[in-house]
Amino acid sequence: QVQLVESGGGSVEFGGSLRLSCAASGFSLDQHATAWFRQTPGREREAVLCLSSSGASSYTAPFAKGRFTISRDNAKNMMYLQMNNLDAADSAVYYCAAEYLGGCRRRGIGESDFEDWGQGTQVTVSS
């Protein structure tokens, strides 16, 4: 059974850092594009970062540049989102996603590009 499970969410102060983890089971991440999305109430889910299955292409949302990093440990079948210099606007539910042999368009990615999703983890940034 294909499953993605996020962890590492929680509360953090303004300017702080947080690392989210996503454990994959039932498939190998090294054959999948991996991405992080986030969503706040009343808004559409937005892409944060994406790394293609080959690692050759990636996408970074403008708000994430210089602050957020996506990484993957194929040996552990894990993916990560490192978030630094957090502010209140980063408060959201964060989701990891994966797509078999997927790519990442530099101009942007969307929910429909990914088939497999985690359940989400809440991140709250307080001032």
Side-chain angles (χ1 to χ4, degrees), residues 12-18 67 82-87 125-126:
V12 61
E13 291 187 350
F14 174 86
S17 298
L18 205 60
R67 300 192 301 133
Q82 177 67 43
M83 302 184 291
N84 299 323
N85 194 22
L86 287 162
D87 61 38
V125 183
S126 58

Side-chain angles (χ1 to χ4, degrees), residues 23-122:
S25 58
F27 66 99
S28 295
L29 272 180
D30 62 356
Q31 294 184 314
H32 288 69
T34 52
W36 288 92
F37 286 74
R38 70 184 188 182
Q39 189 171 25
T40 55
R43 299 187 64 180
E44 293 185 357
R45 195 170 296 186
E46 63 177 348
V48 180
L49 286 160
C50 177
L51 184 63
S52 69
S53 55
S54 67
S57 63
S58 63
Y59 167 78
T60 303
F63 63 80
K65 289 182 179 178
R67 300 192 301 133
F68 295 3
T69 305
I70 187 173
S71 61
R72 189 165 61 201
D73 186 333
N74 292 333
K76 295 182 178 179
N77 222 24
M78 297 282 294
M79 58 188 289
Y80 305 97
L81 175 64
Q82 177 67 43
M83 302 184 291
N84 299 323
N85 194 22
L86 287 162
D87 61 38
D90 297 315
S91 296
V93 177
Y94 284 75
Y95 299 87
C96 60
E99 176 67 18
Y100 181 64
L101 298 181
C104 304
R105 294 183 298 276
R106 290 188 181 276
R107 67 180 182 275
I109 58 173
E111 287 187 73
S112 61
D113 293 320
F114 293 85
E115 181 175 0
D116 302 308
W117 292 85
Q119 82 288 352
T121 186
Q122 176 70 48

